[in-house]
Amino acid sequence: TLDRSSAASDVYKRQLEKVDTLVIDKTGTLTEGKPMLRSIVPNPEFSESSVLQLAASVECISEHPLASAIVSGAKGKGLILSEVEEFRSQTGEGIEGKVNGKTVAIGNRFFLERDIGVPSKELVELNQQSEALRNKGQTVVFVAVDGKPAGVIGVVDSIKPTTKEAVQTLQRAGLKIVMVTGDNWQTAKVVGRQLELKDIQAEVLPEHKHQVVKQFQKNGHVVAMIGDGINDAAALAEADVGIAMGTGTDEAIESACITIVKGDLRGVVRARAVSYTHLRAREPL
């Protein structure tokens, strides 16, 4: 683990030993942060390749972690991406752009209903298909073309091999662990079951993560936030102790007071051990 300065090191080592609640971002912290394309379920009027090609063309402009999985998946299947016009993004909800004269929207169900105007009754079948994918732990995005449902795409992000060991060690130490994610509840629950986590907050908008931290603080908890992305920066700064994954973004690292160099959650276990030893070494005999 690394700190910004020796003075800051003493302060945060003492504070880390007092932490009783860990708020942990899912993607890139508990998971690898390297999503991979897993499923394409088109509506009857579309083919798998057409849905993927149109979606990947628009996602090519997006900076969302899921975008790279969809784009890589399309290129891996030999699909040629098209130029995009009139691109727009609604943070945490979806994106839209024109591809070969067609308006293509990719995002969650609410984005397609509220922003794109797709009737909810037309999304019933796709929603059922998406639930089946989510029950397998996949993150699902809906695709609409010219205001009509085109299909759903499922992406998986594997849990890091060392995550469960770290989580169990921290739980045995008496820490409350809260997984926070913008992902759908069903997908989040699957990940939670795999890691034996009971405290989950899903469908949290990026700008609201810091509010999760503030609420626990308001309830009297000493909170450490662990994250790796731009969207985690405010929550990392808000927490009593902000811990960034060294494999994450510069914004997250700059907002945190401690960085886990290799992005291995077991580094938090070691940091707490150092904090505990440091605090006891300073106590008078």
Side-chain angles (χ1 to χ4, degrees), residues 40-48 50-51 122-123 125-126 129 143 148-152:
I40 308 163
V41 183
N43 258 357
E45 299 84 0
F46 295 84
S47 65
E48 287 189 12
S50 65
V51 170
E122 294 185 12
L123 290 169
E125 185 175 349
L126 283 188
Q129 293 167 334
V143 182
K148 299 292 184 180
V152 292

Side-chain angles (χ1 to χ4, degrees), residues 17 276-285:
E17 203 274 338
Y276 186 86
T277 302
H278 175 87
L279 185 64
R280 294 300 175 267
R282 285 178 168 268
E283 288 182 348
L285 297 176

Side-chain angles (χ1 to χ4, degrees), residues 26-27 134 138-140 181-185 187-188 202-204:
K26 178 178 76 70
T27 304
R134 286 169 180 148
Q138 297 183 36
T139 298
V140 177
T181 177
D183 217 335
N184 174 271
W185 269 105
T187 303
E203 300 180 8
V204 178

